[in-house]
């Protein structure tokens, strides 16, 4: 059964059609994926790597521990110690899409991924404060970034984060040519493809290793918990305690840092 509802606009988005999974509690049955959904079962989408590593301690504090090691397991849906919660391992940039369409009830995604996705059809109730880094502009060492900007030179910028870069340079009144790349952005200034890149920087070691320097910081980035609005409504008794527990775990982790 598929229900189509028009959600009310919220702080993040305009009205939007969202396809709902059948409510397992009402239906007591099987979701679109074929998984047998128990009463109030919850699926959380997240990606392997830094987000998973840094989110698992917060989940553990909230009583959710995967029964297998997600880094070594080949399973893409992992049961957890909390019987009704399973983790779904997806590509980082796909997390918002799974949650938006209700294939996952919740997810964890970086602010960078959410801004590029647009945040449509998602609540973002908790800044988990993990996978902390920054979005920056970087150039080859020796490139006169300040002079080029002041002269109003036509600058070519390569990035995977086109929406964030466009917004940043438009807000500064700069006209730049954006070149979309999908990886290894550091190569763009080295090869002459672009004058600058917009990329995530954590320790700065990758830039340093490629003789690049950070010339502007665009924004701080952290991972956020995202929730499907329909899941929040229909599975509130399961979702709300989880959101509260993760809010408390994130606050405790910040206080201890
Ligand atoms: P670093 O050398 O520590 O500054 O890390 C930079 C490299 O790691 C770049 O290739 C970034 O795209 C990637 N990176 C850093 N932090 C994150 C993050 N929180 N999420 C995803 N990729 C990241």
């Amino acid at each position: 059964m598929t229900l189509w509802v028009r959600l009310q606009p919220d702080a993040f988005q305009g009205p939007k059609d969202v396809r709902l999974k059948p409510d397992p509690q009402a239906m007591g049955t099987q979701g679109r994926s074929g998984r047998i959904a128990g009463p109030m079962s919850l699926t959380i989408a997240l990606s392997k790597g830094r987000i998973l590593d840094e989110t698992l301690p917060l989940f553990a504090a909230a009583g959710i521990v995967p029964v297998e090691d997600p880094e070594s397991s080949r399973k893409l849906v992992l049961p957890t110690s909390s019987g009704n919660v399973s983790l779904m391992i997806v590509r980082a940039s796909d997390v918002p899409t799974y949650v938006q369409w209700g294939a996952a009830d919740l997810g964890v995604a970086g602010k960078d991924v959410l801004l590029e996705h647009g945040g449509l059809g998602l609540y973002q109730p908790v800044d988990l404060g993990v996978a902390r880094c920054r979005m920056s502009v970087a150039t080859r060492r020796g490139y006169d970034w300040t002079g080029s900007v002041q002269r109003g030179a036509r600058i070519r910028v390569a990035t995977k984060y086109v929406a964030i870069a466009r917004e940043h340079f438009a807000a500064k009144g700069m006209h730049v040519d954006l070149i979309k790349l999908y990886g290894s952005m550091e190569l763009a200034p080295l090869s002459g493809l672009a004058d600058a890149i917009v990329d995530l920087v954590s320790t700065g070691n990758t830039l340093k290793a490629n003789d690049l320097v950070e010339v502007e910081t665009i924004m701080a980035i952290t991972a956020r918990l995202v929730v499907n609005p329909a899941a929040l409504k229909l599975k509130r008794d399961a979702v709300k305690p989880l959101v509260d527990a993760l809010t408390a775990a994130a606050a405790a982790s910040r206080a201890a840092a």
Side-chain angles (χ1 to χ4, degrees):
M1 187 179 108
T2 299
L3 297 173
W4 290 92
V5 296
R6 183 164 285 278
L7 297 175
Q8 291 305 308
D10 65 21
F12 304 102
Q13 68 218 32
K16 170 138 185 43
D17 285 324
V18 173
R19 182 183 295 213
L20 298 181
K21 272 195 304 189
D23 175 15
Q25 222 193 18
M27 313 282 294
T29 55
Q30 213 167 357
R32 289 165 65 85
S33 61
R35 281 175 292 126
I36 303 294
M40 289 292 183
S41 67
L42 291 181
T43 304
I44 307 174
L46 73 176
S47 54
K48 282 193 185 182
R50 212 174 142 192
I51 288 204
L52 183 71
D53 296 344
E54 297 189 22
T55 305
L56 282 183
L58 301 181
F59 282 175
I64 296 164
V65 179
V67 296
E68 284 180 47
D69 177 3
E71 288 295 349
S72 57
S73 175
R74 285 175 179 267
K75 285 188 186 163
L76 296 177
V77 179
L78 293 164
T80 69
S81 56
S82 167
N84 68 329
V85 179
S86 53
L87 304 183
M88 187 187 276
I89 308 299
V90 304
R91 194 189 159 110
S93 52
D94 289 337
V95 167
T97 306
Y98 275 86
V99 179
Q100 172 188 1
W101 288 92
D105 302 298
L106 304 102
V108 178
K111 182 178 175 184
D112 51 316
V113 167
L114 294 168
L115 287 172
E116 289 298 314
H117 170 267
L120 283 174
L122 300 171
Y123 288 137
Q124 302 178 32
V126 190
D127 178 351
L128 296 170
V130 296
R132 197 174 281 279
C133 59
R134 56 194 182 273
M135 187 69 74
S136 295
V137 183
T139 66
R140 258 187 359 263
R141 186 178 304 284
Y143 177 83
D144 183 12
W145 173 257
T146 310
S148 298
V149 172
Q150 281 170 354
R151 279 199 312 281
R154 186 112 186 202
I155 298 171
R156 275 187 296 171
V157 179
T159 187
K160 188 163 111 183
Y161 306 98
V162 171
I164 293 172
R166 186 184 295 120
E167 171 73 28
H168 173 70
F169 292 117
K172 292 181 62 144
M174 280 174 65
H175 183 79
V176 301
D177 294 322
L178 288 176
I179 302 171
K180 168 89 183 183
L181 288 180
Y182 293 88
S184 301
M185 277 163 274
E186 299 81 10
L187 273 175
L190 304 181
S191 64
L193 175 65
D195 304 303
I197 57 172
V198 167
D199 195 9
L200 294 174
V201 180
S202 181
T203 61
N205 289 340
T206 306
L207 292 181
K208 208 168 161 190
N210 290 291
D211 210 23
L212 301 174
V213 288
E214 218 172 334
V215 291
E216 283 183 18
T217 301
I218 298 179
M219 66 176 73
I221 301 285
T222 47
R224 316 290 164 111
L225 183 73
V226 292
V227 182
N228 175 279
L232 183 59
K233 201 167 152 191
L234 298 171
K235 300 183 179 181
R236 193 175 178 80
D237 290 350
V239 173
K240 181 73 170 46
L242 179 54
V243 170
D244 290 346
L246 287 171
T247 304
S253 159
R254 268 199 198 94

